[in-house]
Amino acid sequence: MLSIQLNPVGPLSQLSQYEVDRLKQSVNSDLYKLFRNCCLAVLNSGVEEDDFEQLFTPYEDFEVNLIRRERGVKIELVNPPAVAFVDGQLIKGVHEHLFAVLRDILHMGVKYRLNEAHVTQSKDLTDIVFDMLRHAEVIKVGSDPNMVVCWGGHSIGEVEYKYTKEVGYQLGLREMNICTGCGPGAMKGPMKGAAIGHAKQRYKTGRYLGMTEPSIIAAEPPNAIVNELVIMPDIEKRLEAFVRIAHAIVIFPGGVGTAEELLYLLGVMLNEENREQIVPIILTGPAQSKDYFESIDKFVGETLGPEAQSLYEIVVDDAVKVAQKIKSQQLDVRTHRRNTGDSYLFNWLLKIEPEFQKPFEPTHQSMQELNLHFSQPKAELAAALRKAFSGIVAGNVKSEGITQIRKHGPFKINGDPKLMNMLDTLLQSFVKQQRMKLPGSDYSPCYQVIT
């Protein structure tokens, strides 16, 4: 049996006795099982696998324990994966990420579970997002407003992956930092490219922020470039964190997860109170992705209308142009934040309705009851479509979603016949382009669109 003890790093280096007691009391809770699984995912950092069973099954004898010390806690790993070690030493980045898991899942998780009955208002939910980011030291006072959030699929081809690296490289040359969902594919490429650009510019404060959530981290373990890891409690808080820290958003080709992110963003930006917001949004990919963006743009136009289409720009096969456009608007973002009295580092004035904040639990019943009809405001339709895509993501890669599909069959999605045909056409294009699973994996649809 291999056992290793780790000294605390980061914000958990110093804890009060009350905080240590609270952590120890969590050992027999559901949170602790979640903590164990997230630690195992982090220990597999860099492993490209989107099947949680394939990731976890070989390590059934893995354990993680908390060892009390006067100033805090140590983490003990029992039978950890060999991939996390080099010449018998745990990789330093993995060490840091393990304490990020402890911070977000147990330390912050226990805190908010104790107070969850009081969290009902929109502002309270935003406060949780801010508190978690601040506690994770994501919000660094005095830093430039240069965080570019990059979205895109984990299942992309080599040409698209190289293009995401090129965009990241061009952003890095312009001293922009990168935030992604922290997994492989379009979440890894921009970070890898930016790291080279930062190195060439001798930019020593390069940030590669990975933002994930508990049910997705097993399917998308942190890639090897991530130097800051944050695990938000659920997908809704993860999405809110993305848009509130973003100074620009770049969207690469992807599948249903990327469509979910785009619809969330458009639904938020369609709010009348957000008309004055300055958040550059660019959809981009190599020349071979042109059809993908045309199908996405067509779907947005037919469902949410021209106003939604006007919120973003599509740039095909021109990484330099993407980076130049974002860099040129950096001053506009800064000026707008200053003139409105908003924070440079967290967009407090962005209006996000509760419909986009309250956690949506995909079940066969909740998926079938989604209001997928045109007879409602565009922002509300965007929220409903976002949930539909979120459910498909769950059925594709999340353990609880996969379990439901095995037990009860595919999710059934009902709605306006015209809208269902549009949705089915878009989803079929994702399947045909192998955007639902990692390349080479067989895909069996977890959904059925009722047309």
Side-chain angles (χ1 to χ4, degrees):
M1 181 179 75
L2 173 64
S3 174
I4 179 174
Q5 293 185 11
L6 307 176
N7 288 319
V9 295
L12 297 190
S13 296
Q14 297 285 342
L15 294 176
S16 71
Q17 292 298 296
Y18 170 73
E19 289 172 321
V20 173
D21 287 341
R22 199 168 62 182
L23 285 175
K24 290 293 290 181
Q25 289 168 9
S26 71
V27 169
N28 296 316
S29 68
D30 291 340
L31 273 180
Y32 204 81
K33 180 179 179 181
L34 186 63
F35 168 63
R36 181 259 185 197
N37 290 344
C38 288
C39 284
L40 185 53
V42 163
L43 287 161
N44 279 281
S45 176
V47 175
E48 296 197 6
E49 175 62 68
D50 64 354
D51 187 327
F52 76 96
E53 291 178 335
Q54 293 294 324
L55 189 70
F56 287 163
T57 300
Y59 306 109
E60 291 180 352
D61 60 350
F62 167 73
E63 296 177 18
V64 57
N65 302 311
L66 298 184
I67 300 175
R68 181 172 186 149
R69 293 290 181 264
E70 282 307 308
R71 65 175 187 174
V73 293
K74 284 187 174 184
I75 290 178
E76 180 187 37
L77 304 176
V78 179
N79 297 322
V83 70
F85 294 80
V86 174
D87 298 334
Q89 298 294 314
L90 186 68
I91 295 170
K92 290 180 180 178
V94 174
H95 186 152
E96 292 175 1
H97 290 346
L98 286 169
F99 278 92
V101 174
L102 177 60
R103 177 197 69 218
D104 294 337
I105 300 298
L106 290 187
H107 182 63
M108 301 300 285
V110 170
K111 174 181 177 179
Y112 285 115
R113 282 205 174 184
L114 291 173
N115 296 301
E116 63 183 354
H118 306 292
V119 181
T120 57
Q121 301 298 315
S122 177
K123 65 180 183 62
D124 296 330
L125 295 168
T126 297
D127 283 344
I128 290 176
V129 172
F130 175 78
D131 190 39
M132 293 199 67
L133 294 177
R134 180 180 56 181
H135 201 78
E137 300 179 327
V138 168
I139 299 171
K140 300 180 185 291
V141 176
S143 58
D144 289 330
N146 64 350
M147 184 63 74
V148 181
V149 169
C150 296
W151 289 336
H154 71 300
S155 177
I156 59 174
E158 185 64 22
V159 173
E160 290 177 339
Y161 176 68
K162 287 181 177 179
Y163 182 78
T164 68
K165 283 202 300 184
E166 179 60 24
V167 171
Y169 172 66
Q170 294 297 333
L171 290 169
L173 287 176
R174 291 161 178 82
E175 299 185 356
M176 306 299 288
N177 287 321
I178 305 295
C179 172
T180 76
C182 93
M187 291 168 276
K188 177 182 177 182
M191 291 184 170
K192 198 167 186 178
I196 298 171
H198 289 161
K200 282 193 170 185
Q201 291 287 25
R202 304 299 187 264
Y203 181 65
K204 302 190 183 301
T205 55
R207 300 178 63 190
Y208 316 105
L209 172 61
M211 199 97 69
T212 186
E213 51 108 357
S215 61
I216 204 73
I217 192 172
E220 295 173 355
N223 68 65
I225 315 297
V226 173
N227 64 2
E228 298 176 51
L229 176 67
V230 182
I231 306 172
M232 302 303 291
D234 49 62
I235 186 64
E236 288 76 14
K237 292 181 184 64
R238 181 195 191 199
L239 289 168
E240 180 168 352
F242 275 134
V243 299
R244 289 202 187 272
I245 68 165
H247 302 109
I249 297 177
V250 175
I251 303 175
F252 295 105
V256 285
T258 306
E260 176 186 5
E261 291 163 340
L262 176 60
L263 287 164
Y264 176 92
L265 177 61
L266 296 179
V268 168
M269 297 304 291
L270 283 170
N271 190 306
E272 285 289 324
E273 295 187 40
N274 293 327
R275 281 189 174 276
E276 303 302 318
Q277 286 284 335
I278 298 178
V279 182
I281 303 169
I282 298 178
L283 279 59
T284 190
Q288 74 169 46
S289 305
K290 184 178 179 181
D291 290 346
Y292 167 83
F293 288 114
E294 287 178 349
S295 63
I296 286 283
D297 187 50
K298 180 181 179 183
F299 181 79
V300 170
E302 290 177 339
T303 55
L304 304 181
E307 183 182 357
Q309 290 174 304
S310 71
L311 294 170
Y312 56 80
E313 181 177 356
I314 298 175
V315 177
V316 175
D317 207 27
D318 196 337
V320 173
K321 183 178 179 180
V322 171
Q324 287 176 335
K325 280 181 169 292
I326 287 173
K327 183 66 176 181
S328 68
Q329 293 186 69
Q330 190 180 7
L331 179 59
D332 295 336
V333 173
R334 178 193 289 271
T335 301
H336 179 262
R337 299 284 181 94
R338 183 176 64 245
N339 291 343
T340 58
D342 203 358
S343 167
Y344 288 155
L345 307 177
F346 188 87
N347 193 340
W348 286 101
L349 293 181
L350 188 71
K351 178 66 175 178
I352 301 180
E353 296 289 351
E355 193 65 22
F356 291 91
Q357 294 180 302
K358 294 176 182 176
F360 171 68
E361 183 180 351
T363 65
H364 285 75
Q365 181 176 347
S366 65
M367 288 289 283
Q368 202 159 358
E369 291 176 350
L370 288 174
N371 181 14
L372 296 172
H373 295 84
F374 287 113
S375 57
Q376 59 182 315
K378 298 296 186 186
E380 292 179 20
L381 176 57
L385 285 168
R386 195 284 296 180
K387 292 174 183 176
F389 284 114
S390 189
I392 297 173
V393 172
N396 280 349
V397 299
K398 296 183 180 182
S399 60
E400 61 271 26
I402 292 171
T403 300
Q404 286 190 71
I405 300 303
R406 285 178 179 165
K407 186 178 291 187
H408 304 295
F411 290 132
K412 289 182 170 57
I413 305 175
N414 291 298
D416 183 287
K418 183 179 179 182
L419 179 56
M420 291 303 96
N421 279 312
M422 294 174 188
L423 181 61
D424 192 47
T425 298
L426 183 66
L427 291 172
Q428 287 297 331
S429 72
F430 290 165
V431 174
K432 185 177 180 180
Q433 296 167 26
Q434 294 187 304
R435 299 190 183 278
M436 293 293 200
K437 298 283 286 182
L438 286 172
S441 304
D442 293 329
Y443 179 66
S444 177
C446 66
Y447 64 89
Q448 181 183 355
V449 180
I450 308 300
T451 58

